[in-house]
Amino acid sequence: MLKSLSIKELYVPALAEGEGVGTAYEYFAKRLVLARWLKNQPKPAHLLIAGLPEKYGSSLDFLQVAHELDAAVTIVDERPSALQKLQKSLAAAQKERWLTAVSPQLIPVHHLADLGEIAPEFDLCLGSEGLQRLDASDRPEYLRHVWRLASRAALFAPNGDNMAHTNISGLAGVTLAEMQELVGPNAKTGYIDMPPFPPGITRSDEQREQATSSRFEAIAMWGLGFYARLEHFLPTAVRRSQSHIVYALLEGGD
């Protein structure tokens, strides 16, 4: 159902967001999970992005998913600055001939856990880097609305067991145990996004731009894609302490 896009290809929307290869790797890792899951699901016609990332990027990878599925997409968030950043990032991607057919509906809300004003008209809900910015007491209410709004959902959050990542990123985290307690025993959960380079690496805008045409960078990104496909086979203890993201895939209101 989803195309097989390389990290080098996903570097284009990441760059449009002002991010780099780490974000492109994250997008690739998330797509591996989503592609396996969605291939046996009915094709969604209307996709909801329930909250934009707290800090890194604007979920252009989810807009790419909507584009490939030919699905209408609605985005809700309580931060005007995040919605404005999304619009700017999407415009930059479209200048590079990405996501040119995507025109998301943007809905500002008062609080991410209070989505009562949103009508339940969605086939699929996606959310990344949002759960951790909710108080623990608000997360069940957020999930209740997700279930009300869509019959299927995929949620991604920073891995709270990887202190090196959360400390450097400045984000709070959600442990896999916390995610499992929140979503229940019937959801599919796990760890992803364990790039073979330390967190916190920054590059100048010029270096990021050069990476789009460098042959060496292209080879390196190909190698990263091969490595990302092997993450699942690493010991659980390693993935628990080194993965950047925990995820949950939910179906049918479990």
Side-chain angles (χ1 to χ4, degrees):
M1 189 178 289
L2 295 185
K3 298 178 181 177
S4 180
L5 296 180
S6 68
I7 291 177
K8 182 172 175 57
E9 289 171 309
L10 293 168
Y11 190 72
V12 177
L15 195 64
E17 297 172 324
E19 302 297 336
V21 68
T23 296
Y25 184 96
E26 173 193 322
Y27 288 173
F28 186 86
K30 285 153 65 179
R31 284 176 63 88
L32 289 177
V33 170
L34 290 172
R36 288 192 295 264
W37 183 53
L38 291 174
K39 71 178 181 179
N40 296 318
Q41 303 280 351
K43 185 178 179 181
H46 200 168
L47 186 153
L48 172 68
I49 298 177
L52 291 166
E54 179 178 352
K55 186 175 181 180
Y56 296 102
S58 297
S59 286
L60 289 190
D61 61 325
F62 290 163
L63 294 189
Q64 176 64 27
V65 169
H67 170 70
E68 292 174 40
L69 299 178
D70 194 25
V73 59
T74 297
I75 301 172
V76 300
D77 201 274
E78 80 283 12
R79 300 160 299 158
S81 60
L83 294 170
Q84 292 167 5
K85 180 182 177 183
L86 176 278
Q87 291 176 306
K88 182 178 178 181
S89 298
L90 178 57
Q94 290 176 337
K95 286 184 179 180
E96 299 298 324
R97 299 186 295 279
W98 275 71
L99 305 173
T100 54
V102 176
S103 182
Q105 179 185 16
L106 307 183
I107 302 179
V109 294
H110 177 69
H111 193 285
L112 188 58
D114 183 9
L115 303 179
E117 64 191 78
I118 310 300
E121 56 185 2
F122 305 97
D123 308 296
L124 176 64
C125 175
L126 301 176
S128 183
E129 205 187 291
L131 270 177
Q132 83 290 340
R133 61 185 173 87
L134 291 173
D135 291 338
S137 59
D138 287 327
R139 293 172 189 171
E141 182 68 5
Y142 170 82
L143 187 65
R144 185 181 72 80
H145 280 294
V146 166
W147 276 132
R148 181 182 64 84
L149 294 169
S151 59
R152 290 168 287 157
L155 303 177
F156 303 84
N159 176 17
D161 282 321
N162 184 346
M163 298 304 294
H165 176 58
T166 54
N167 287 342
I168 291 173
S169 70
L171 300 174
V174 178
T175 68
L176 189 62
E178 290 170 334
M179 180 71 89
Q180 290 169 336
E181 182 178 2
L182 177 67
V183 300
N186 295 326
K188 299 176 182 177
T189 59
Y191 299 101
I192 56 166
D193 188 21
M194 195 176 72
F197 45 80
I201 293 177
T202 59
R203 309 171 90 183
S204 67
D205 290 342
E206 182 179 1
Q207 288 172 322
R208 289 173 177 170
E209 289 287 353
Q210 288 175 347
T212 62
S213 57
S214 166
R215 181 176 176 83
F216 173 79
E217 295 268 6
I219 294 171
M221 290 183 196
W222 176 86
L224 286 175
F226 182 78
Y227 169 85
R229 295 178 183 278
L230 299 179
E231 279 189 8
H232 180 74
F233 299 101
L234 294 170
T236 300
V238 174
R239 288 185 284 125
R240 180 185 299 117
S241 63
Q242 300 299 320
S243 295
H244 292 185
I245 291 175
V246 295
Y247 70 87
L249 306 176
L250 307 96
E251 300 174 35
D254 20 330

